[in-house]
Amino acid sequence: MTIAALSPSAAEPALRRPGRPVLVLRYLRRNKGLALGVLILLGLAAFTIIGLLTINPKDAYPLSVAVKKPPSLKYPFGTDFFGRDLFSAMVVGMWQTAFIGFVAGGLGTVIGVVLGFIAAYFGRWTDAIIRTVCQILTPIPVLLIQVVIAGSLDKRDVTILTMALIVVLLAWMGPTLVIRAQVLTMKERQFVAVAKLSGVSDLGIIFKEILPCLLPFIAAAFVAQVFSAVFAAFYLAVLGLGPLREPLLGNIIWAAQSQGAFFNGWWWWPIIPSVAMILILGSLALINMGLDELANPRVRRTE
């Protein structure tokens, strides 16, 4: 009876490793910044998704509702000088902001990862060209270039997709340099040398050996690029360089400033989109810092 009680099959359940969801929850409990950022972002996503299912999108555009109404049961966020329901405008504007962030951030990250792998893994003249281009373009003020490009376009030609493309023009340099540095260290590791001796092709080494190890870095780079894209779209719109008819959060603030909302007592008009932008950027910043801790083994917290 004693031997049966101590057999490996009986002791196995007590030594079973926790599942992945349990480990993720434990890590989020330790990394409170990442957990808070994810919760805020999920709340904003729920607000946008539920809002898109319940509002009339036409109310987010001018001449749709009564003008200059303070927050009430009928208009939870009030209305503005142009006859837009600010609740509907916030829902549509947050969706548009997310679209710009994900398109620009995703394209910038993909281009950066591809160029970083090409430069670091294959080296030689490709590395020299990509590194030189990045070193030349990096010191250039990105804000200045984006303002010049957006200001030179006809306002009728500026769309949400146009803003995303303007933002992504110089968004690939950061991920390129980060991924290049990581690949340079990875390709000198023992497991890469073993894979080469085993006859694995270059693409096999890249996709099966190196790329999985860099997924935390790529995720952190993606979140950082989304943050930069959202911020760029915000300040371009605040400067009046975005698609003025669209209810982007920056456009709402620009319109409130141009009509002197605070001086006329329409306090809800600029405050609500400002709070929303703070929540968006704050959540992305917290997630970025949390992913940076996850990707960096020197500062990673252990179980």
Side-chain angles (χ1 to χ4, degrees):
M1 298 294 294
T2 306
I3 296 175
L6 297 177
S7 62
S9 59
E12 184 178 356
L15 301 176
R16 185 174 298 170
R17 180 179 175 84
R20 186 174 295 274
V22 175
L23 294 176
V24 171
L25 290 176
R26 289 180 181 178
Y27 182 78
L28 289 176
R29 187 175 60 184
R30 295 194 308 274
N31 194 336
K32 293 181 174 58
L34 178 60
L36 179 60
V38 170
L39 284 177
I40 295 174
L41 196 62
L42 288 176
L44 294 172
F47 169 80
T48 305
I49 294 172
I50 295 173
L52 288 173
L53 296 175
T54 56
I55 67 165
N56 182 1
K58 294 181 179 179
D59 292 342
Y61 294 90
L63 305 177
S64 300
V65 295
V67 300
K68 298 178 288 187
K69 295 294 183 180
S72 62
L73 291 177
K74 185 176 182 180
Y75 304 114
F77 292 168
T79 65
D80 64 7
F81 179 85
F82 302 103
R84 294 182 293 191
D85 179 10
L86 289 180
F87 181 83
S88 301
M90 291 293 299
V91 171
V92 177
M94 291 182 70
W95 177 86
Q96 292 175 341
T97 300
F99 176 80
I100 293 174
F102 279 99
V103 169
L107 287 176
T109 304
V110 169
I111 295 172
V113 169
V114 172
L115 293 179
F117 266 97
I118 292 175
Y121 190 83
F122 296 102
R124 299 181 180 178
W125 60 270
T126 56
D127 184 28
I129 293 175
I130 294 173
R131 188 179 70 252
T132 302
V133 171
C134 290
Q135 290 174 345
I136 293 174
L137 295 179
T138 299
I140 299 176
V142 176
L143 170 61
L144 178 61
I145 300 299
Q146 291 170 342
V147 168
V148 170
I149 295 174
S152 63
L153 296 176
D154 190 335
K155 291 295 182 290
R156 293 171 296 182
D157 297 331
V158 179
T159 62
I160 300 298
L161 183 59
T162 305
M163 288 196 70
L165 295 178
I166 292 173
V167 172
V168 81
L169 285 177
L170 299 175
W172 52 271
M173 295 179 297
T176 298
L177 295 175
V178 170
I179 297 302
R180 175 183 175 274
Q182 294 299 326
V183 175
L184 283 175
T185 60
M186 284 286 180
K187 74 174 188 177
E188 303 298 332
R189 301 283 181 87
Q190 185 91 26
F191 65 90
V192 175
V194 172
K196 289 181 178 179
L197 292 176
S198 302
V200 180
S201 64
D202 290 333
L203 291 179
I205 293 174
I206 290 174
F207 286 102
K208 295 180 180 180
E209 303 294 338
I210 299 179
L211 185 60
C213 298
L214 295 182
L215 289 180
F217 292 94
I218 295 173
F222 171 70
V223 175
Q225 291 306 305
V226 172
F227 177 91
S228 300
V230 170
F231 185 71
F234 175 68
Y235 65 64
L236 287 175
V238 168
L239 293 175
L241 299 176
L244 299 181
R245 191 175 182 277
E246 298 296 334
L248 281 170
L249 302 183
N251 282 346
I252 297 175
I253 296 175
W254 173 81
Q257 290 176 337
S258 64
Q259 297 298 324
F262 274 117
F263 293 103
N264 289 291
W266 310 324
W267 53 268
W268 61 89
W269 188 1
I271 284 182
I272 292 174
S274 299
V275 172
M277 186 54 63
I278 291 172
L279 290 175
I280 293 172
L281 295 177
S283 64
L284 291 174
L286 289 172
I287 293 173
N288 186 36
M289 290 186 289
L291 289 176
D292 182 65
E293 176 187 310
L294 182 64
N296 191 345
R298 295 184 179 181
V299 297
R300 186 183 305 162
R301 300 174 187 177
T302 57
E303 184 70 38

